[in-house]
Amino acid sequence: MDLRHKSFKPCNTMALRETSHTADTDLFGQELANIINLRHPLVQLSQKIDWQSCQSRFGGLYAVGLGRPAHPIRLMVGLQLLKHTCNVSDEEVVATWVENPYWQYFCGEQYLRHDLPIDPSLMTGFRKRIGQAGCEFILGLTLGAGLATKTVARSSLAVVNVETTVQDKAVTFPTDARLLHKARMALVRLAGKQGIRLRQSYERIGKAAFVRSQRYAHARQINRAAAQTSKLRTYLGRVIPDIERKINPLGPTPTPTPTRMQQLLRIATRIHTQPRKPAEGDPPKLYSLHAPEVECIAKGKAHKQYEFGVKVGIVSTSKESFVLAAKSLPGNPYDGHTLKACIEQATRVTGVAPQEAYADRGYKGHGCNTDTFKVWISGSKRGVTPAIERTLKRRNAVEPVIGHLKSDGSLARNFLKGVEGDAMNALLCGAGHNLRKILRKLRLFYASCGFIVLELLSRLLLPDVIPSKPMVQFR
């Protein structure tokens, strides 16, 4: 679910509804504790998360005794965690919640429910309400659960690996012909909704020119494809002034808050006038009509020369690969200039300032070395002891972390809108990665306990049949 509405203001128009558990039993309801396995990893994880801190942190965003009561904070936070742990959409996480009693128990329900807990659109509203700072707090919750389950050690927070990657936006591959065609279609569609009668919409011939442009480009007939793209640029250049004359017959009048049509006209004008290769001093090139914040980033990959999205800095522990920070970095800055912001976010999330950071050669010139913080770059020779060299080889462990964030999480395709959506999606992807590691730790723990119990019972019941051998050691 993307953030397609206007900016949400956490105003005091909604009271907070707390999660309540009563001692009275419901005659027709089934208590979840009686029908589920209490040793399930998700049940154990729900007991390790500090839900009370969520109530204290987000309770101030709601009014007291005003308006319709809101849904419990534990339910909303739990749904966000389950969404990014299982990499599903807002609609899927709400629909699966009804079918899965373990998800209901994780979100704080006492009795089994057969109805939808919330409307899926409320997931978007909650993300807007808590903002980027709230997502950092949720990432900190997963760190607390990791410490409680011993998935990550507190001593590991002092030594981290740092790397940058690209968080791709949910946009189609941009071409000049496609951008010109989409801009004209969007203007014509919005003009029709607002009752603006245009001289010509170029609906039929514009579509035909776009199709021919794609076919010529596929056949490597570049000159013919460029001619059709020029036609699309001409059509857009005729629609823009036609709409401007109709909405402002007396000339342009500045307004403090531009309307939706004025915003779309501004974007369409930039698409119409932007060159193929911007020169120095030109404004950033637009690559998407509905997501103008998208940037074109080249990371030097053989299989993907260009990526369209935003750069993200990932900070993980060197030993357990536990994500401590996922910082969105708009503007495509140099990697060395992003290190300070990433370490500051990791310090806010963990409450512990890292002492050592290990990065690749792209971080040269970072300027972050102090008396209490040291950055080691791959390939360094001066001052590298055998212990530091072994830890420096662990720097590559952050690469599979990024791979899991993209394959198992939603870092590979971000559907949240705007710069704020980029930042929130990166942080929540890190929280989902941490929960997957914790759940795997819990599953292995209970599996090892089961094997040990079975082996003890077999030795007690059948001592003569089974030869004596050392018990299996589970780490």
Side-chain angles (χ1 to χ4, degrees):
M1 179 68 66
D2 55 0
L3 308 180
R4 297 180 181 270
H5 306 290
K6 297 181 180 179
S7 59
F8 186 89
K9 297 180 179 179
C11 52
N12 296 331
T13 58
M14 185 175 291
L16 181 61
R17 180 191 303 169
E18 298 184 1
T19 304
S20 59
H21 294 275
T22 61
D24 301 333
T25 58
D26 189 352
L27 181 62
F28 301 101
Q30 296 182 356
E31 286 200 43
L32 290 171
N34 297 332
I35 61 176
I36 63 176
N37 180 15
L38 296 180
R39 292 186 298 177
H40 190 275
L42 207 56
V43 176
Q44 298 297 318
L45 176 60
S46 66
Q47 299 171 2
K48 303 297 182 180
I49 297 178
D50 188 7
W51 300 108
Q52 190 61 37
S53 64
C54 296
Q55 193 81 11
S56 305
R57 176 65 176 80
F58 301 133
L61 302 178
Y62 296 85
V64 179
L66 295 177
R68 179 180 179 271
H71 295 281
I73 288 180
R74 178 173 177 177
L75 172 65
M76 303 303 296
V77 174
L79 287 174
Q80 296 290 343
L81 291 174
L82 291 171
K83 166 187 166 64
H84 287 273
T85 302
C86 302
N87 190 21
V88 294
S89 64
D90 292 342
E91 291 80 5
E92 288 177 302
V93 71
V94 173
T96 310
W97 187 91
V98 181
E99 304 170 359
N100 196 323
Y102 291 97
W103 285 25
Q104 297 187 21
Y105 187 90
F106 180 79
C107 294
E109 293 295 331
Q110 182 179 5
Y111 294 97
L112 183 66
R113 291 180 56 178
H114 302 279
D115 56 336
L116 293 177
I118 60 171
D119 188 88
S121 62
L122 294 180
M123 297 278 288
T124 300
F126 183 75
R127 284 192 295 265
K128 292 181 180 180
R129 186 181 291 269
I130 64 176
Q132 181 179 352
C135 294
E136 284 187 7
F137 178 80
I138 292 178
L139 180 60
L141 282 181
T142 63
L143 175 62
L147 293 172
T149 57
K150 298 183 180 180
T151 307
V152 59
R154 186 170 295 275
S155 59
S156 301
L157 305 180
V159 183
V160 298
N161 296 329
V162 187
E163 181 60 294
T164 60
T165 185
V166 178
Q167 178 180 239
D168 292 327
K169 200 77 167 184
V171 297
T172 186
F173 189 86
T175 61
D176 289 342
R178 188 179 300 275
L179 285 174
L180 294 168
H181 180 59
K182 282 192 171 184
R184 183 196 56 78
M185 288 179 57
L187 286 174
V188 171
R189 188 185 306 113
L190 186 57
K193 291 181 180 180
Q194 296 184 359
I196 300 175
R197 186 178 179 84
L198 302 177
R199 295 176 60 187
Q200 188 174 353
S201 65
Y202 303 95
E203 193 72 29
R204 182 179 57 84
I205 60 177
K207 181 179 179 180
F210 173 67
V211 172
R212 285 195 295 268
S213 171
Q214 301 300 300
R215 290 177 178 175
Y216 288 146
H218 180 71
R220 298 296 190 271
Q221 300 179 11
I222 305 303
N223 292 335
R224 291 183 176 180
Q228 299 301 320
T229 303
S230 179
K231 284 186 177 181
L232 292 171
R233 193 180 303 276
T234 302
Y235 299 154
L236 178 61
R238 292 175 182 174
V239 171
I240 291 176
D242 190 13
I243 295 177
E244 290 177 345
R245 287 192 300 267
K246 299 295 176 58
I247 63 176
N248 296 317
L250 301 179
T253 56
T255 56
T257 55
T259 62
R260 184 180 177 186
M261 177 62 80
Q262 291 173 339
Q263 294 176 353
L264 186 57
L265 280 172
R266 187 180 300 114
I267 295 175
T269 303
R270 285 184 59 185
I271 292 175
H272 177 257
T273 58
Q274 67 183 5
R276 182 179 179 85
K277 294 183 179 180
E280 186 176 356
D282 291 344
K285 190 173 181 179
L286 292 179
Y287 297 98
S288 176
L289 188 66
H290 71 276
E293 72 277 359
V294 168
E295 302 161 359
C296 179
I297 303 174
K299 296 285 284 185
K301 299 178 181 177
H303 66 283
K304 187 184 292 187
Q305 186 176 4
Y306 301 107
E307 296 175 280
F308 299 93
V310 66
K311 183 177 287 189
V312 174
I314 304 297
V315 180
S316 65
T317 58
S318 179
K319 185 177 180 181
E320 299 92 353
S321 296
F322 212 77
V323 175
L324 304 182
K327 178 68 175 176
S328 176
L329 305 165
N332 191 14
Y334 168 63
D335 285 0
H337 299 162
T338 66
L339 182 60
K340 183 178 179 181
C342 294
I343 295 300
E344 287 177 350
Q345 186 183 80
T347 304
R348 289 196 303 268
V349 171
T350 63
V352 178
Q355 299 176 4
E356 293 181 352
Y358 293 83
D360 59 12
R361 298 184 183 184
Y363 283 85
K364 288 183 177 180
H366 51 81
C368 295
N369 284 329
T370 62
D371 296 337
T372 59
F373 181 70
K374 177 65 176 177
V375 181
W376 296 98
I377 305 296
S378 297
S380 300
K381 300 298 183 182
R382 182 177 300 177
V384 177
T385 62
I388 293 176
E389 185 177 1
R390 288 193 299 270
T391 311
L392 197 56
K393 291 181 179 180
R394 283 284 303 169
R395 188 215 66 83
N396 296 333
V398 72
E399 301 293 348
V401 171
I402 295 175
H404 284 294
L405 287 172
K406 291 190 174 184
S407 61
D408 300 335
S410 56
L411 196 69
R413 194 163 181 83
N414 174 28
F415 290 89
L416 304 188
K417 187 176 178 64
V419 178
E420 188 77 8
D422 293 335
M424 291 190 292
N425 187 74
L427 288 165
L428 293 175
C429 284
H433 172 79
N434 292 344
L435 289 189
R436 286 190 293 270
K437 292 185 72 68
I438 296 173
L439 290 173
R440 181 177 181 274
K441 171 81 172 182
L442 294 174
R443 280 193 293 267
L444 292 177
F445 172 75
Y446 284 106
S448 63
C449 291
F451 280 118
I452 293 175
V453 171
L454 288 176
E455 188 168 354
L456 288 175
L457 290 176
S458 62
R459 290 190 177 188
L460 291 175
L461 299 177
L462 303 171
D464 300 331
V465 177
I466 299 180
S468 177
K469 59 180 179 179
M471 293 187 62
V472 181
Q473 298 293 328
F474 295 93
R475 296 182 180 179

